[in-house]
Amino acid sequence: MKPVLLVIAHGSRDPRHAATVHALVRRVRSLRPDVRVETGFLDFNIPSVPAVLESLAAEGVRDVVALPLLLTRAFHAKADIPAVLRDAPPQLRIRQAEVLGPSPLLLSALERRLYEAGLTPADKSSTGVVLASAGSTDPEAIAVIADIAREWRHTGWCAVRPAFASAALPRTEDAVRELRALGCAKVAVAPYVLAPGFLPDRIARGAAEADVLAEVLGPAPEVARVLLRRYESASARSLLRVSA
């Protein structure tokens, strides 16, 4: 029997966050009806991750792949989630999957959102893009965003600049102005975030002077495919913890 896939989302007071997470999980289920997929939240929303784990153990489930619904390996992936999993019922065999990013599929999802917002492939060479992420105090996470921006630039955009809604600079509005100063005919903002909420709203405000603002990644099919790839990779790895 395949391990249960437990998608672990951060949670938010903003109801759009949970709605988007559930929409993504529904897409994952539609792609892989043979895999049981559950959702748990670290904060603000229910069910909590511990509650889901307790419920699975009570049902007699043995194998779980816990997948952080995160784009970078920052604090939640390195500390919060492992701590929660260590406190899970001892009869569960748990593997923690890698975070979703970076992945070429996520770049495809970003472009999908930009085209849905009004750009066309013909606009690429004259359009500067702000890759706007939530931000982090973790240097590794910030470096990954910068690397993604450099990689994306090589696919044909006029220029790509990283920006951050919190904890790091530049802000979205500053990156928009920089791309204008470079002479890009159009400037687009691509939120590198999974669901709406406080920080994505800050990104949107920072995009006021841009020509195009894309939607968050949300339940894009490419995101669902990355999620399933992480699940399969984790299923094939050794256990994070095996019960005695």
Side-chain angles (χ1 to χ4, degrees):
M1 182 177 295
K2 292 183 178 297
V4 172
L5 169 55
L6 172 57
V7 176
I8 300 179
H10 182 272
S12 171
R13 293 185 178 90
D14 190 322
R16 297 173 297 168
H17 174 90
T20 302
V21 170
H22 290 310
L24 174 59
V25 169
R26 285 194 296 272
R27 185 179 288 276
V28 171
R29 288 179 179 137
S30 72
L31 292 174
R32 288 293 302 273
D34 59 318
V35 175
R36 178 177 174 181
V37 187
E38 300 291 342
T39 309
F41 296 91
L42 291 174
D43 206 354
F44 302 116
N45 302 105
I46 57 174
S48 68
V49 175
V52 176
L53 293 170
E54 292 284 353
S55 178
L56 291 172
E59 287 181 37
V61 169
R62 296 284 285 171
D63 293 298
V64 176
V65 168
L67 190 147
L69 198 59
L70 300 167
L71 294 172
T72 59
R73 267 184 48 79
F75 180 79
H76 295 301
K78 294 177 179 178
D80 282 358
I81 291 174
V84 170
L85 297 180
R86 282 194 294 270
D87 290 336
Q91 63 266 42
L92 291 176
R93 296 181 295 225
I94 301 174
R95 298 170 175 89
Q96 181 176 330
E98 296 295 331
V99 298
L100 300 183
S103 167
L105 282 171
L106 293 178
L107 289 182
S108 297
L110 287 166
E111 295 205 1
R112 170 192 291 275
R113 293 301 189 227
L114 286 171
Y115 297 149
E116 289 170 351
L119 291 179
T120 70
D123 293 318
K124 285 188 79 167
S125 63
S126 60
T127 299
V129 179
V130 178
L131 178 69
S133 79
S136 174
T137 57
D138 188 313
E140 178 187 348
I142 297 302
V144 166
I145 300 300
D147 288 344
I148 293 169
R150 283 192 291 271
E151 178 183 346
W152 203 14
R153 163 68 182 84
H154 294 315
T155 67
W157 296 100
C158 174
V160 180
R161 293 291 185 271
F164 307 94
S166 68
L169 296 173
R171 296 285 183 257
T172 302
E173 53 269 34
D174 297 323
V176 168
R177 294 183 189 117
E178 181 186 350
L179 290 171
R180 289 272 187 233
L182 280 176
C184 298
K186 291 183 179 180
V187 176
V189 174
Y192 190 61
V193 293
L194 287 167
F198 176 75
L199 292 178
D201 284 349
R202 182 180 287 177
I203 289 171
R205 291 192 297 273
E209 297 179 17
D211 301 293
V212 172
L213 170 63
E215 292 293 328
V216 299
L217 294 173
E222 296 87 352
V223 177
R225 286 164 57 199
V226 173
L227 197 153
L228 285 168
R229 287 187 182 182
R230 299 292 185 258
Y231 165 78
E232 294 293 350
S233 295
S235 297
R237 287 206 312 266
S238 60
L239 291 170
L240 171 70
R241 185 196 67 194
V242 182
S243 59

